[in-house]
Structures are given as structure tokens and as C-alpha cells.
Amino acid sequence: MLSQDENLWYKDAVIYQLHVRTFCDSNGDGVGDFRGLTSKLDYLQELGINAIWLLPFFPSPLRDDGYDIADYTSVHPAYGSLQDFKDFLAAAHSRRLRVITEMVVNHTSDQHPWFQEARSSRENPKRDWYVWSDTDSRYQGVRIIFIDTEMSNWAWDPVSKSYYWHRFFSHQPDLNYDNPAVREAIWEVMKFWLDIGVDGFRLDAVPYLIERDGTSCENLPETHEVIRDFRKRIDLAYAGKMLLAEANQRPADVRSYFGNGDEFHMAFHFPLMPRMFLAVKLEDRKPIIEILEQTPQIPDTCQWCIFLRNHDELTLETVTDIERDYMYDEYAVDKAMRINLGIRRRLAPMMENDRRRVELLTGLLLSMPGTPIIYYGDEIGMGDNVYLGDRNGVRTPMQWNGGWNAGFSSADPERLYSPLISNPVYGYQAINVDSQTRSAHSLLSWTKSVIQTRNAFRVFSRGSIEFLNPSNHRVLAYVRCLGEEKVLVVNNLSSSAQAVELNLQSYKKHIPIEMFGRNLFPRVGDLPYLLTLGPYQFYWFRLRRI
Ligand code: GLC
């Protein structure tokens, strides 16, 4: 039995997000696999992360990179066998790394046997596992998510001569959660992976589980009821396992997915993410403070998950039209960088390869409230390839070294599942793990040391946040507090040097100790506390009482 506090492991986690196929190919077929990933666990352990989130690795036609599942309970043969997954899991657990996998609950692939049966005839018992209609006019007005590829949320099925409902690609029919058999079947899938030993699930696309006439078909009370039911079952038989919600919604709507601590343990903070990028471009702290002030409190056992980049586009669904235009103008001038309502780029290229800005954003990610997620490759500043189509440009092979195929695979380069990044700035000859491991001053070495610092102080994962309000708006300053543990974080969001006077009257008689160099700064006295910061510079101070 885990202790009560150990059950809250997700609150203190630093999560690393990766796709098996992008990470390391052990058998030379050009595709990453579980054996390859297992061989890289030492790297992940040394990085200091303590949980791994795996993108879907199940059998799939791969028309949405595996989010189109054709079989929930086995492993895509290109990535290995179920035994390879179990070996990976055991190896991760022996290093005290938790593993979070995907539960794509909203839809399946149209190749899934359930859908094949459902479409085979209107009388088939599986018919009602999906959402059918004789017309495509039901649920009018429900927004389309993949606006670049889909014209409607209905698709025509020529086999059974009717329409089926899909919120994403038309090859991903939505499951019908009004049917109890569907809930049971999905619960069986969860049990399958929980019994194997996974530590938690990211539930994909949760707002869309239930449809009702005359509504937006998002965040409906019935959807919450489905989630509560799953959660109850988890609590009964699988204490210590975690559910993470992918609900790309405004803070108040996402808040509802925590319920009274009886729905999700964690949810992504989607609206915060673009506002971090906005703040750095505008050189103003307002977007960050505003969104965090609008973010409702969550139950004690819950936690936000925060991130800078992931495998999808940087979604701009939760910003205003003006903010979206500004983000496009500043971060995606080339139209090829845009997809749907977002920007398909990685962190380093968005920061124009400016190490100071990458560090500033990573510092924010690791010091603001929530469990941070690092997207594979961002710890070395990998680039992207916006010409690869869909979101594939941010899913290229991990760059391990400057040799053959970046050390990712021994296959012929033509055989790789995706071309490598090979331009002179971000290419694997310039950006790779091997060379950055050798340099104490590389982005990788820097990232390791910040993660280490974060892991050493629980205040980062569990503490409260209080924003200071200095007159210089280019500076974002906050105090994180957990009992006697107090940390002051001061960020210069601008490209020029700044001075700031902080009102630290509540921390009189404290000495700020800079956390990376462990040097003492002048103690807090009666006067405003004066600091100067270089362009994009930030400080983390422990506040020690004298
Ligand atoms: C989620 C995934 C995304 C996928 C979509 C449809 O939003 O993050 O990659 O395309 O679901 O499954």
C-alpha cells in the first residue's frame, strides 16, 4: 500500500512527454520502439524527470499518429510486443519513473472492429456503440475542431448508408457514451493497462463524450457523470493511479473536470500556455497574471499540468481574436507554421534559438504552480520542420548524436518514419544529446540543473503563489510559499536590462539566497528591494529568515 502522500505523486512529478516511435529504434527498421526507449531510460533518469507520458502506441492505421486506435489492448507491431512494453515498464519502475499512457476515450479508428461491426448493418449489436443519424443536420452549430481538414462533424458511411458523428478526423468516429456497454468496454481497457501496472492515464478529448440537441456538445453534465464513474472505479480498486484531463477549454470549464476531487486528479492548463508566449513577446506580465487570477481554486488532491509545447499545434483556441492575430504575426509569419487554430512549432525555433528566452520560459514552466511537462527534444533545443504536413514537424526523431541518423536508428535514412532535422542551425550535427552532455554549459546541462533544483524544494510543486506588483510591468515576480519554505521568483520578460523595486515588506528580516549559485543577497529591509536583471534574466531566491 502506498501512503496517502505517495498517492499524490503526480503533484510532485516532472513529466517528460515522448512518442515511442520518435525516441530510439533498436531493430533498425526506421521506427522507434520500446526496446530502444528502454535503452534510453538512464538518460531520462539523469535528466531528473520522474514520470513519462507516452503518446498512443497501440495498433492503428496511423492517420492521426496513433490517436486513431484500432485495438486498445496491444502494441503496434512497429513499436514491439506487449512483453516489450512490460519490460519497459518494469525498467522504468525500477528507476522510480512512473508511466502515464493514453486513453483515447472519445473515438476509435474507423478500422476498429467495433466500428466495422457497427457499420456492417443497422441491426448489429455494436451499432449503438457509435453516434448515427440519417441526416447531417443534427447538433447544428457544434464547432469543428480540425477546421483545416473537416467541413462537418458528420461523415457519410457508404456501407450502412447513414451519417456518423466525429469531432476530429472523419476516420475517427465518436463512441456513444449514452450506451452503458461502451463505458464497460472502455473500463475493461483501463483495467487491462492498470493491471499491467501503468501509473495513470491521459484521457484524450474528454469534453466531447456526450452529445445533446441544442447544446455545444461540450462539457455536458452527462460527460462529467461518465468521468465520475471511471474515477470511482479507479479509487475503489487502483488507489494511487492518476487521471489527467485533456480539455482544451477556458479555466472555469476546465475547473469543472476536477469536480469535488472526484473527477480528474490533473488537467492541462491550456489557457496559460499561449499567454506565456504572449507575455514574452509583449514584454509584459499582464497576460500571465490575468489568466492565473481567472483560474479558480482546485481541490487539495488536484493539480494543474502546465506545459510550453507538446505534440500538437500551440493551440490558440482560448485567446481572443486580437491575441491570436498577434501570436500569428509574431510567431508564425510563414503560413506553413499555422494549422487549425494554432502554431505547429517547437520551443527553440519560436524563440529564434535565443537561449535566454528558452531558459526564461523553461524557468517559468518549472517555477509556476502545477506539474510541468517537458516535450521530448525541447531540453536540447530541437528544431521543427513545418513542411512535413499535419503536426509531424514537431514529431521528428530524437537527436542523440551527430552521427548516422542522429543515433536514432541504424536504418537507411530513406527508411526513417520521418526525415531528421538536418539544417545547419537545428540539425542533429549541431543540436544533439551527446555534444550537450559533454558541455557543462549546454542547454541540456542547464535544464538538468534547474530540474534538480526544483525537485529539491517541495514549495515548487505544492506551494501557494502570491504575485508582487512592482511598477515595472516587464518584470513578473512571485513568491511561492509552503510553510516555512519560501521562494521568490523574479523574471525579466523583456529584451533589455531592467531595474525593479519589489515590495517585500512581508518578508522583512529574510535573506534572499540565489538558488543556483547559493549566494546571499542583501537582506530585506525597510526600503523597497531593488534588483537589476539583464535581458530575459530571471532569479530564483530562497527567502531565509534571519
Ligand atoms: C488530441 C490529441 C491530438 C489528436 C486528437 C484527436 O487532441 O492531442 O493529437 O489529433 O486528440 O484524437
Side-chain angles (χ1 to χ4, degrees):
M1 271 280 276
L2 290 175
S3 72
Q4 192 53 31
D5 203 53
E6 258 181 278
N7 279 347
L8 302 180
W9 59 271
Y10 48 88
K11 293 191 96 170
D12 305 309
V14 175
I15 301 176
Y16 189 88
Q17 179 194 355
L18 69 89
H19 194 342
V20 184
R21 94 157 156 171
T22 65
F23 217 55
C24 180
D25 169 18
S26 73
N27 62 355
D29 65 356
V31 182
D33 47 46
F34 275 110
R35 288 187 183 187
L37 172 57
T38 308
S39 73
K40 296 297 184 187
L41 283 173
D42 287 345
Y43 168 75
L44 294 179
Q45 192 174 20
E46 274 164 36
L47 184 57
I49 58 101
N50 39 33
I52 301 169
W53 157 26
L54 295 177
L55 267 56
F57 52 79
F58 317 102
S60 158
L62 299 180
R63 295 177 68 195
D64 184 14
D65 209 1
Y67 282 94
D68 46 336
I69 295 178
D71 173 1
Y72 280 99
T73 51
S74 24
V75 171
H76 192 294
Y79 308 151
S81 63
L82 190 59
Q83 189 55 47
D84 291 342
F85 174 78
K86 290 180 180 169
D87 294 344
F88 153 75
L89 191 64
H93 283 166
S94 72
R95 290 169 171 80
R96 299 183 63 80
L97 300 174
R98 315 252 179 179
V99 175
I100 301 162
T101 59
E102 290 272 351
M103 274 301 308
V104 182
V105 284
N106 179 65
H107 47 265
T108 67
S109 159
D110 59 4
Q111 301 306 304
H112 195 292
W114 297 343
F115 187 72
Q116 293 296 322
E117 278 193 53
R119 78 173 355 168
S120 66
S121 89
R122 294 190 179 207
E123 282 70 48
N124 190 283
K126 291 261 169 20
R127 180 70 177 175
D128 189 43
W129 283 41
Y130 293 86
V131 182
W132 299 96
S133 170
D134 287 331
T135 73
D136 61 356
S137 55
R138 215 171 161 195
Y139 309 134
Q140 281 288 318
V142 172
R143 76 185 169 116
I144 293 168
I145 297 168
F146 285 168
I147 50 171
D148 286 2
T149 32
E150 301 299 328
M151 305 284 286
S152 163
N153 286 317
W154 290 106
W156 174 248
D157 172 37
V159 183
S160 62
K161 306 220 172 353
S162 49
Y163 292 95
Y164 62 88
W165 181 250
H166 63 89
R167 289 307 301 273
F168 294 92
F169 288 121
S170 57
H171 55 75
Q172 288 165 316
D174 275 33
L175 284 163
N176 173 18
Y177 275 86
D178 281 321
N179 183 340
V182 167
R183 300 185 193 189
E184 286 310 316
I186 291 293
W187 172 244
E188 287 302 315
V189 175
M190 289 195 197
K191 271 198 338 202
F192 177 86
W193 293 106
L194 290 169
D195 288 337
I196 286 177
V198 305
D199 300 288
F201 298 121
R202 168 194 184 265
L203 266 66
D204 185 68
V206 283
Y208 321 113
L209 300 188
I210 299 265
E211 300 74 32
R212 288 289 177 268
D213 287 313
T215 72
S216 66
C217 294
E218 300 192 5
N219 311 318
L220 298 183
E222 294 88 341
T223 292
H224 287 283
E225 195 226 299
V226 174
I227 301 299
R228 274 196 299 276
D229 179 42
F230 286 144
R231 172 65 186 265
K232 207 180 286 161
R233 297 176 191 225
I234 297 243
D235 284 351
L236 271 177
Y238 300 96
K241 307 289 181 177
M242 184 278 297
L243 296 178
L244 161 62
E246 190 216 18
N248 186 2
Q249 306 278 331
R250 290 167 311 150
D253 287 326
V254 188
R255 166 64 186 84
S256 62
Y257 287 98
F258 293 115
N260 298 315
D262 56 356
E263 293 194 27
F264 283 94
H265 302 83
M266 295 213 282
F268 294 107
H269 203 312
F270 274 98
L272 172 62
M273 181 270 303
R275 287 174 175 85
M276 295 199 252
F277 289 94
L278 262 177
V280 172
K281 232 350 153 207
L282 290 166
E283 307 199 346
D284 195 312
R285 63 177 185 247
K286 194 169 161 214
I288 294 179
I289 296 197
E290 227 172 42
I291 201 71
L292 288 178
E293 282 177 352
Q294 282 171 28
T295 301
Q297 287 295 313
I298 56 176
D300 268 357
T301 50
C302 297
Q303 176 90 315
W304 291 104
C305 240
I306 58 177
F307 61 102
L308 294 167
R309 293 297 305 110
N310 61 21
H311 63 297
D312 287 328
E313 69 275 27
L314 190 168
T315 61
L316 298 172
E317 281 165 342
T318 61
V319 299
T320 63
D321 291 352
I322 295 172
E323 288 167 333
R324 189 176 310 122
D325 286 346
Y326 182 75
M327 285 288 285
Y328 278 145
D329 285 348
E330 296 295 331
Y331 286 120
V333 226
D334 182 345
K335 296 271 192 314
M337 296 169 174
R338 306 176 190 181
I339 184 172
N340 301 320
L341 279 186
I343 298 175
R344 47 176 167 193
R345 299 186 74 193
R346 269 187 180 270
L347 177 62
M350 284 187 70
M351 294 301 113
E352 297 165 289
N353 214 19
D354 180 348
R355 177 82 184 263
R356 297 167 307 176
R357 271 183 281 169
V358 172
E359 289 186 3
L360 173 68
L361 279 170
T362 308
L364 286 175
L365 176 72
L366 292 170
S367 64
M368 287 205 293
T371 291
I373 301 185
I374 296 173
Y375 186 52
Y376 88 92
D378 280 352
E379 74 278 20
I380 55 171
M382 257 171 69
D384 51 40
N385 179 353
V386 296
Y387 305 107
L388 285 181
D390 201 351
R391 292 144 292 173
N392 297 326
V394 300
R395 302 173 182 181
T396 59
M398 180 68 177
Q399 296 171 190
W400 294 105
N401 61 45
W404 186 257
N405 290 335
F408 163 74
S409 168
S410 61
D412 282 339
E414 296 77 10
R415 206 177 160 193
L416 300 186
Y417 76 88
S418 151
L420 288 150
I421 304 290
S422 53
N423 66 59
V425 181
Y426 299 103
Y428 59 95
Q429 298 90 341
I431 305 278
N432 64 67
V433 170
D434 190 29
S435 65
Q436 294 198 20
T437 304
R438 292 204 222 161
S439 157
H441 304 285
S442 63
L443 179 62
L444 177 61
S445 302
W446 177 88
T447 307
K448 275 185 201 167
S449 81
V450 204
I451 296 178
Q452 205 175 37
T453 305
R454 177 192 160 96
N455 286 343
F457 297 93
R458 262 205 161 180
V459 65
F460 287 113
S461 52
R462 306 262 183 138
S464 60
I465 187 164
E466 178 209 345
F467 288 104
L468 304 180
N469 198 15
S471 58
N472 184 345
H473 275 256
R474 300 197 152 135
V475 174
L476 170 68
Y478 41 88
V479 178
R480 304 288 318 270
C481 194
L482 183 72
E484 280 310 294
E485 213 169 86
K486 296 188 186 69
V487 166
L488 166 67
V489 179
V490 190
N491 305 281
N492 176 8
L493 303 174
S494 91
S495 57
S496 51
Q498 300 291 327
V500 66
E501 290 188 329
L502 299 173
N503 176 356
L504 294 180
Q505 283 313 292
S506 327
Y507 306 97
K508 254 200 239 171
K509 300 225 177 79
H510 282 72
I511 297 192
I513 306 170
E514 200 280 322
M515 293 176 82
F516 301 113
R518 302 201 177 94
N519 294 314
L520 305 193
F521 269 52
R523 89 184 159 90
V524 180
D526 292 321
L527 295 176
Y529 200 78
L530 173 71
L531 282 172
T532 57
L533 300 107
Y536 302 120
Q537 193 191 348
F538 67 89
Y539 289 120
W540 291 5
F541 295 111
R542 277 179 70 192
L543 295 174
R544 196 177 71 196
R545 193 183 278 282
I546 307 166

